[in-house]
């Protein structure tokens, strides 16, 4: 019996203009619950692929199924809801809200999406924020604005915000690019631990998709995929033809 797919792309072709495609993927399938490392050089289309998977971008051709949903059949608002309620995203630059406190940044996904809030393990949202902050060793900073934190502390806030409410899919877009080796490895170990701890209120096992250009990170994950092998990046000459 084939494993349930968290992500399934078939014959996808995307370009910012229909007549100038920049990315082509014949097949990509990631089973639910896997920790997958996807690597590719700069300019290979990693961020574009993540935007397609998260429903921010829509391809001109092909099918994209994420967490059992056919993104091509969903409206923009429905894709927004799916992304907010079922997908945790760790951005390369973290994208924390500078004028909010650490606690407010962590709680934000649950404030915006009731279905995500319904999956917390604590009795209240405030207690859940404290629980995650203790787990990630940032509990002493909950009342501070995120601009007062170190890079490593901001990363932990980004993890907490991504995993609160147990999303079925966590996507990380090169969040370790500015770290030294020791801090990078510690971050990856912690990310794997907290995403796999699970939550009985979410029947779907958490899938982790981590994207980077650094192949040395592969040992931290269950599976490694090469974007140049699964996708065709259309040459610049063809894009501008």
């Amino acid at each position: 019996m084939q494993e349930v797919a968290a992500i399934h792309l078939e014959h996808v072709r995307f370009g910012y203009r229909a007549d100038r495609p920049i990315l082509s993927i014949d097949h990509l399938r990631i089973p639910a619950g896997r920790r997958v490392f996807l690597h590719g050089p700069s300019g290979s289309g990693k961020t574009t692929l993540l935007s397609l998977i998260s429903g921010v971008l829509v391809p001109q051709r092909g099918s994209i199924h994420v967490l059992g949903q056919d993104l091509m059949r969903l409206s923009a608002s429905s894709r927004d809801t799916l992304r907010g309620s079922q997908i945790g995203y760790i951005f390369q630059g973290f994208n924390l809200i500078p004028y909010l406190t650490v606690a407010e940044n962590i709680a934000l996904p649950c404030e915006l999406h009731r279905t995500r809030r319904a999956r917390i393990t604590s009795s209240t949202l405030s207690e859940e924020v404290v629980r995650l902050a203790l787990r990630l060793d940032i509990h002493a900073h909950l009342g501070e604005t995120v601009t007062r934190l170190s890079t490593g502390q901001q990363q932990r806030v980004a993890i907490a915000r991504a995993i609160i409410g147990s999303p079925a899919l966590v996507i990380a877009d090169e969040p370790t690019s500015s770290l030294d080796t020791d801090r990078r490895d510690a971050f990856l170990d912690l990310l794997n631990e907290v995403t796999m701890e699970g939550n009985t209120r979410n029947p779907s096992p958490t899938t982790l998709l981590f994207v980077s250009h650094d192949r040395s990170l592969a040992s931290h994950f269950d599976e490694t995929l090469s974007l140049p092998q699964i996708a065709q990046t259309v040459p610049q000459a063809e894009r501008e033809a």
Side-chain angles (χ1 to χ4, degrees):
M1 184 176 178
Q2 192 175 38
E3 294 175 287
V4 175
I7 298 169
H8 190 191
L9 281 68
E10 291 284 350
H11 308 300
V12 169
R13 196 164 177 85
F14 172 79
Y16 290 99
R17 284 181 49 175
D19 60 339
R20 295 183 182 178
I22 62 173
L23 189 64
S24 179
I25 300 175
D26 286 335
H27 177 79
L28 172 61
R29 190 178 190 280
I30 298 176
R34 299 288 286 172
R35 296 175 300 164
V36 176
F37 175 66
L38 178 68
H39 69 84
S42 297
S44 60
K46 298 187 299 295
T47 298
T48 299
L49 175 59
L50 295 185
S51 295
L52 289 168
I53 291 172
S54 59
V56 174
L57 298 177
V58 178
Q60 282 76 30
R61 194 170 70 198
S63 65
I64 301 177
H65 289 79
V66 175
L67 304 175
Q69 298 290 319
D70 183 350
L71 298 191
M72 302 299 287
R73 294 181 178 271
L74 296 182
S75 64
S77 62
S78 294
R79 294 195 304 273
D80 288 345
T81 298
L82 175 66
R83 184 167 55 251
S85 62
Q86 292 292 348
I87 300 176
Y89 210 112
I90 304 174
F91 298 88
Q92 183 172 357
F94 310 142
N95 283 19
L96 301 174
I97 310 300
Y99 53 83
L100 297 182
T101 66
V102 169
E104 290 167 339
N105 267 280
I106 295 172
L108 190 59
C110 290
E111 295 283 11
L112 296 175
H113 298 277
R114 288 184 297 175
T115 54
R116 192 149 165 177
R117 184 168 182 162
R119 293 194 303 265
I120 63 174
T121 57
S122 304
S123 299
T124 67
L125 180 56
S126 294
E127 290 176 2
E128 183 73 354
V129 169
V130 172
R131 182 185 75 82
L132 289 173
L134 284 166
R135 177 69 180 83
L136 294 165
D137 195 25
I138 49 174
H139 55 285
H141 305 283
L142 285 173
E144 300 177 25
T145 56
V146 292
T147 55
R148 297 177 62 87
L149 304 185
S150 68
T151 298
Q153 290 166 337
Q154 289 181 7
Q155 282 183 314
R156 289 170 180 253
V157 176
I159 292 177
R161 185 182 62 180
I163 66 172
I164 194 169
S166 298
L169 173 62
V170 174
I171 295 174
D173 185 6
E174 301 226 35
T176 62
S177 58
S178 62
L179 297 183
D180 59 39
T181 300
D182 289 343
R183 291 189 178 186
R184 180 200 68 192
D185 290 346
F187 173 86
L188 290 169
D189 290 342
L190 182 59
L191 178 60
N192 274 314
E193 287 174 16
V194 295
T195 53
M196 298 311 292
E197 282 175 353
N199 183 337
T200 56
R201 298 189 186 186
N202 191 341
S204 301
T206 301
T207 303
L208 173 62
L209 176 59
F210 189 100
V211 175
S212 177
H213 66 279
D214 186 354
R215 298 189 185 190
S216 69
L217 307 182
S219 61
H220 293 269
F221 300 88
D222 298 326
E223 181 180 351
T224 299
L225 298 175
S226 169
L227 185 56
Q229 291 179 359
I230 64 174
Q232 174 187 352
T233 304
V234 179
Q236 186 71 23
E238 183 179 339
R239 299 184 201 180
E240 298 175 351

